[in-house]
Amino acid sequence: MGKLEELKAKLNNLGREYAKIKTLRQEERKAFGEQINRQKAALLAQIKALEDAAEDAAVEPIDLTAPFGENTTPFTPASGTKHPLTTELDRVAEIYRQMGFNVIEARQLDDEFHMFDSLNFPKEHPARDGYDTFRTEEGFIPPAHTSTMQYRALTRFRDDLEKYGQIAVVVPGRVFRNEDVDATHEHTFYQCEGVFVSKDATLGQMLATWKNFFETYYGQKLNIKTQPGFFPFTEPSLEFQIEKPASLGGKGDGWLEMGGCGMIHPNVLKTAGIDPEVYKGFAWGGGIDRLVMLKYGINDVRYFESGKLDFLKEF
Ligand code: DAH
């Protein structure tokens, strides 16, 4: 008989002892009853201790110090993948790299100088309000476009003008705008900026560069179209469109606005310490999210930031 059964049997016998009370004299009964109650309480406590111990033993102990092993693999390698925008940003950067551009990453927190002053926005000019800019309480600016990186790109690679006769940089990055969100507008999205400077840079080179990028990205010939635009940091400024290709759902009639471009304004070059009498430059910048949406037929930009696993798993 195990210890537990033994104790339970004793408890049982004790029950029978109670019956003896009637056979005792009145003055003996109280002491006898108290003695039995004490024995009973002691037995119950022992039984409970044994039962608790048995219960604990039945639960497998967890070793909190153990590394993830064969038996614990909550994260299998297959369950994590790159976000589709990360994959596409890598592709975009790679295309430009092969065209000879340096690639640097944009900041996610910037300031008034890089957002406006260095880009030739006149002080107090209404154009400063045109970018739905967020601001922190301290006055920092989550960049509303990747153009905030132009000054850094130009100054960081300025020595290349002496060495190679040109500056060629692209800057993919995350940007933020205080906008109402819908299927085609996000407060958080991605852009890619480009700057090129040389003694004889032309608008023709500008258009050829961007056209070539789009054709490589989509793997097909594309028609492009421009129309006059306005940006304080380029003169002249253009809005750049590509013809929606038939293979991507176009019906021969649609044009897609892909961003802005132009010849870098002499003031922007001057601020970056480059002599606009000697050098000329072109710059361009456009959204990445739309590019990817068109490529994969995604009809709602909000999916990208949603963390929806069923969407992300398609990539
Ligand atoms: N930063 C502009 C925007 O987000 C786009 C742009 C226009 C970039 C002209 C450029 C440029 O580099 O030259 O609307």
Side-chain angles (χ1 to χ4, degrees):
M1 194 175 355
K3 181 83 181 156
L4 189 61
E5 285 83 58
E6 211 174 283
L7 290 170
K8 281 182 173 168
K10 274 192 192 165
L11 189 64
N12 224 0
N13 294 338
L14 211 53
R16 261 174 261 139
E17 291 287 296
Y18 275 114
K20 288 187 189 161
I21 282 192
K22 281 179 271 170
T23 68
L24 296 176
R25 277 181 291 136
Q26 196 64 43
E27 61 269 30
E28 290 168 341
R29 286 187 185 177
K30 183 165 184 259
F32 183 77
E34 281 171 357
Q35 190 205 335
I36 294 194
N37 280 343
R38 267 198 305 279
Q39 286 178 13
K40 187 183 168 189
L43 281 173
L44 283 173
Q46 280 176 285
I47 289 171
K48 178 161 177 6
L50 278 180
E51 283 178 344
D52 284 352
E55 207 173 285
D56 286 349
V59 179
E60 221 180 284
I62 299 171
D63 179 1
L64 295 176
T65 65
F68 288 122
E70 292 163 57
N71 303 321
T72 49
T73 48
F75 305 114
T76 58
S79 65
T81 55
K82 271 192 190 172
H83 191 282
L85 281 178
T86 307
T87 308
E88 297 306 311
L89 280 163
D90 287 349
R91 286 201 178 125
V92 167
E94 191 48 33
I95 292 170
Y96 281 119
R97 225 177 256 124
Q98 291 192 3
M99 288 164 73
F101 285 87
N102 295 287
V103 181
I104 60 172
E105 207 180 340
R107 297 198 171 199
Q108 294 192 36
L109 196 56
D110 221 310
D111 56 26
E112 193 81 18
F113 173 78
H114 292 89
M115 177 70 206
F116 296 118
D117 302 283
S118 69
L119 289 169
N120 192 42
F121 283 82
K123 286 245 184 283
E124 320 292 335
H125 194 272
R128 294 196 182 212
D129 302 331
Y131 281 82
D132 304 310
T133 321
F134 286 115
R135 262 167 222 274
T136 70
E137 285 169 4
E138 298 82 3
F140 290 111
I141 297 177
H145 56 178
T146 43
S147 301
T148 48
M149 292 297 292
Q150 283 199 15
Y151 174 85
R152 289 196 187 87
L154 293 173
T155 50
R156 179 166 158 193
F157 292 93
R158 200 169 43 207
D159 292 349
D160 283 6
L161 287 174
E162 293 283 307
K163 276 193 264 174
Y164 312 117
Q166 63 178 47
I167 295 174
V169 187
V170 296
V171 195
R174 199 177 200 188
V175 295
F176 310 88
R177 285 192 196 180
N178 191 358
E179 282 195 305
D180 288 340
V181 169
D182 62 29
T184 54
H185 296 90
E186 252 292 9
H187 49 69
T188 300
F189 56 103
Y190 290 81
Q191 286 189 336
C192 185
E193 191 81 6
V195 291
F196 184 89
V197 180
S198 73
K199 283 187 175 156
D200 51 10
T202 66
L203 203 53
Q205 290 172 350
M206 165 66 245
L207 300 179
T209 303
W210 217 2
K211 181 175 194 276
N212 184 44
F213 163 77
F214 283 113
E215 291 186 339
T216 310
Y217 183 76
Y218 288 121
Q220 61 197 96
K221 290 272 163 222
L222 290 169
N223 290 317
I224 63 162
K225 194 162 87 172
T226 59
Q227 59 195 46
F230 171 75
F231 302 99
F233 37 98
T234 38
E235 182 57 40
S237 300
L238 299 174
E239 311 215 332
F240 187 96
Q241 300 177 358
I242 61 170
E243 188 170 29
K244 193 170 179 182
S247 64
L248 297 174
K251 294 175 183 69
D253 53 352
W255 291 92
L256 298 159
E257 181 67 51
M258 297 315 278
C261 63
M263 297 305 289
I264 300 177
H265 196 286
N267 287 348
V268 174
L269 291 176
K270 224 184 284 172
T271 305
I274 296 167
D275 185 353
E277 299 292 329
V278 181
Y279 291 103
K280 296 176 183 37
F282 55 82
W284 67 104
I288 297 295
D289 304 61
R290 309 190 63 199
L291 197 72
V292 177
M293 287 169 75
L294 177 62
K295 181 170 175 180
Y296 292 109
I298 298 162
N299 55 19
D300 194 327
V301 68
R302 290 169 294 193
Y303 284 134
F304 289 132
E305 299 287 328
S306 70
K308 272 176 178 289
L309 279 184
D310 47 352
F311 167 74
L312 296 173
K313 277 181 179 160
E314 288 174 33
F315 296 90

